[in-house]
């Protein structure tokens, strides 16, 4: 049905119908009849809206700043970008120490038309390889793809499109003394993203 309608009246009608149906079922199962369903539904809706307004204004704590690694470790942020029109991908890698100082950075073009998930996986692979190449032995590889992160930790099976790359990353990690993986919000991974672009 097209046209203007009052959403609050439609909501009220649906709640009243639900209340009548619910009470009818209760009576059929030996319960008692509830009179005044209109007043009850009005009170129910007011409580519902009040609860949802309170939930909407509760601030959610999100980490919006990059967090440095512990002393004597390095954090390697990685990210990937897809350039659909050019049918290529780019990866960025930023290596920083416990003081947040940039130790090394890498920007690399991949001349293959990869999808977003495949590009994120390649970014991690390039980051681990880069860590090996510059001699880092204790590091945290951090990216913003939760799918890749959970696959590397073994919490989930990797999607088939990245399973080979995830296996390759695990093999590369065998040559580094201490490697951890970390998931971060996209805004905390901005320097690696800019390198990838």
């Amino acid at each position: 049905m097209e046209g203007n309608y009052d959403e609050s009246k439609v909501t009220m009608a649906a709640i009243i119908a639900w209340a009548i149906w619910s009470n009818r079922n209760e009576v059929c199962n030996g319960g008692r009849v509830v009179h005044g369903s209109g007043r009850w539904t009005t009170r129910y809706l007011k409580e519902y809206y009040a609860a949802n307004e309170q939930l909407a204004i509760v601030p959610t704590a999100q980490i919006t700043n990059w967090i440095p690694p512990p002393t004597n470790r390095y954090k390697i942020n990685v990210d990937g970008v897809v350039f659909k029109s050019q049918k290529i991908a780019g990866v960025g890698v930023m290596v920083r120490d416990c003081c947040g100082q940039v130790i090394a950075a890498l920007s690399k073009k991949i001349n293959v038309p990869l999808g977003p998930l495949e590009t994120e996986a390649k970014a991690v692979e390039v980051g681990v390889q880069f860590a090996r190449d510059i001699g880092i032995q204790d590091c945290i590889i951090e990216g913003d793809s939760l799918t890749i992160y959970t696959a590397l930790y073994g919490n989930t099976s990797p999607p088939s499109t990245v399973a080979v790359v995830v296996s390759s990353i695990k093999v590369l990690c065998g040559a580094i003394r201490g490697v951890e993986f970390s998931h971060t919000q996209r805004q905390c991974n901005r320097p690696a993203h800019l390198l990838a672009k």
Side-chain angles (χ1 to χ4, degrees):
M1 181 173 96
E2 290 188 30
N4 295 334
Y5 64 91
D6 187 340
E7 186 176 339
S8 63
K9 288 181 181 177
V10 172
T11 303
M12 180 60 83
I15 293 295
I16 290 172
W18 170 77
I20 293 169
W21 175 81
S22 179
N23 188 237
R24 181 181 165 276
N25 282 345
E26 191 173 317
V27 169
C28 288
N29 290 306
R32 63 181 181 83
V33 174
V34 176
H35 296 287
S37 61
R39 285 190 309 272
W40 178 86
T41 53
T42 302
R43 192 173 60 247
Y44 179 85
L45 271 177
K46 283 181 181 176
E47 289 175 6
Y48 173 80
Y49 286 133
N52 280 317
E53 283 177 22
Q54 289 174 353
L55 287 174
I57 60 171
V58 173
T60 55
Q62 287 188 349
I63 298 170
T64 57
N65 295 322
W66 180 82
I67 298 172
T71 306
N72 299 325
R73 298 198 80 190
Y74 296 94
K75 187 172 273 189
I76 303 171
N77 285 85
V78 298
D79 202 11
V81 175
V82 175
F83 301 99
K84 281 187 179 179
S85 61
Q86 300 169 348
K87 297 183 181 177
I88 61 171
V91 297
V93 180
M94 174 81 66
V95 182
R96 288 182 274 190
D97 65 11
C98 61
C99 298
Q101 297 294 315
V102 176
I103 302 303
L106 171 79
S107 180
K108 183 175 182 177
K109 183 169 46 170
I110 301 173
N111 292 313
V112 178
L114 298 174
L117 188 62
E118 293 83 5
T119 303
E120 292 287 346
K122 286 301 283 182
V124 175
E125 184 181 45
V126 168
V128 173
Q129 182 65 53
F130 188 53
R132 259 181 42 167
D133 292 348
I134 63 175
I136 290 179
Q137 285 298 311
D138 289 296
C139 63
I140 300 167
I141 309 289
E142 187 171 73
D144 56 30
S145 172
L146 188 58
T147 302
I148 300 301
Y149 169 77
T150 56
L152 287 167
Y153 261 114
N155 296 340
T156 60
S157 297
S160 59
T161 57
V162 295
V164 172
V165 179
V166 168
S167 295
S168 170
I169 293 166
K170 290 178 179 179
V171 169
L172 287 169
C173 287
I176 300 174
R177 183 173 55 234
V179 180
E180 286 181 36
F181 296 100
S182 173
H183 176 257
T184 189
Q185 299 295 320
R186 182 161 289 171
Q187 63 266 28
C188 299
N189 208 30
R190 188 150 174 76
H193 182 74
L194 292 173
L195 283 169
K197 288 178 100 175

